[in-house]
Amino acid sequence: MGLIERYRARLPVADGARIITLGEGSTPLIQLQNLAVANARNVSLYVKYEGLNPTGSFKDRGMTMAITRAVNAGSQAVLCASTGNTSAAAAAYAARAGIACYVLIPDGKVAMGKLAQAMIHGAVVLQIQGNFDDGMKLVKQIAATEPITLVNSVNPYRLQGQKTAAFEIIDALGAAPDFHCLPVGNAGNISAYWIGYSEYAGQTTGACNLCDGQCAYLRQAVTDKRPRMLGYQAAGAAPFLRGEPVAEPETVASAIRIGQPQSWELAWAASRESGGWFDEFSDTDILATQALLANREGIFCEPASAVSVAGALRDIEAGKIPAHSSVVCTLTGHGLKDPDIAMRQSAAPVTKVAANPDEVKRVIFAEC
Ligand code: F0G
């Protein structure tokens, strides 16, 4: 069941609309078991593993809504700028809908798996000589005058789809967690979670960009609690820490290599209203956390996703997240999106061995 079907009563989808879905959502919420920092403080630490969506990232939640809306409004083509995952999702859902898809990606900075997805789904891929922020400017200009639907997260239907991840977490845990940790790039996702958590708590929020938080989807409260929203960035691309746009963002976590987030005000509203904070992490910390999750928990996420867990662990250790708290971190994208980085930071070399049992045993027992 896709998320529109699951949460239809809380989503702006017209009766009789043709639904474009690939069965997104309902991703696992996995409790981490082996991280000493969390265990020592009795913190219940969960990851929402969004890499298990159909195209391998959380973008599918927004894209089922944005493409459904576009198709039902008669659009024949969609457009986005992307660091990779949005373009993969847009390309897949546009293919499903039978409409055209155009994506602008930054020159040479998109992980191989994401580019492969956009290409195999038949999107027209334009690699611009510029970064994501330059791409955003271009697609906004073009969509303002041409008959083509912009499906970046400035499209409010994207955030409406993405808010369902917060519903799923409360539905799974029976209550909101105390803290929710997210990587922040263009800042749509932190805003969307806050909309979802607020809606389930029957509260309005300045983070809603569809109808100023006054919409009919504010139903009877399901819970009385909202989490504190913690947004984490890569140090080379941390406009929320600088308090202003960053002109030349740089980080190994290419998904969040963004200097001018489009949901700037909405994300500040989420942080402020929830009593949360922003923090930043070096590329070294980000990669170490990606490897830690893979090695110790068997969970493979892309580098940008790992920043949420890096943040949780640092703040648990520092006591900013108190002992006995419940914490959910969103792992936004699957590690297979960026195999090059995973290979580069894997400790174990691949050993070549002759295809006979004595040789294989010799190598195995030498390594023990
Ligand atoms: N994690 C991953 C894996 C992402 O792809 C993105 C954004 C984020 C985190 C940040 O989310 O932008 O809502 O704050 N990727 C966009 C893209 C920009 O084009 O795929 P955000």
Side-chain angles (χ1 to χ4, degrees), residues 321-343:
I321 294 175
H324 305 287
S325 297
S326 61
V327 181
V328 174
C329 300
T330 301
L331 297 183
T332 45
H334 202 290
L336 289 172
K337 293 271 191 174
D338 201 343
D340 297 340
I341 286 196
M343 301 277 282

Side-chain angles (χ1 to χ4, degrees), residues 57-59 81-87 114 132 152-153 158 162 183-190 255-256 258 302 304-305 332-333:
S57 88
F58 72 97
K59 304 290 181 178
S82 181
T83 57
N85 281 325
T86 298
S87 59
K114 304 175 187 181
F132 171 83
N152 281 105
S153 56
R158 280 277 312 275
Q162 288 171 213
V184 175
N186 212 20
N189 211 28
I190 192 169
I256 52 173
I258 295 173
E302 66 173 288
S305 307
T332 45

Side-chain angles (χ1 to χ4, degrees), residues 14-31:
D15 290 346
R18 177 183 160 210
I19 308 299
I20 310 300
T21 177
L22 292 166
E24 58 294 309
S26 303
T27 54
L29 184 67
I30 306 169
Q31 183 159 13

Side-chain angles (χ1 to χ4, degrees), residues 3 11 41 74 84 110 147 186 188 250 266 281 300 344 346:
L3 64 83
L11 290 167
R41 305 283 166 95
V110 169
N186 212 20
E250 204 46 81
L266 306 187
F281 290 84
F300 189 20
R344 254 189 277 148
S346 293

Side-chain angles (χ1 to χ4, degrees), residues 89 131 307 339:
N131 60 24
V307 78

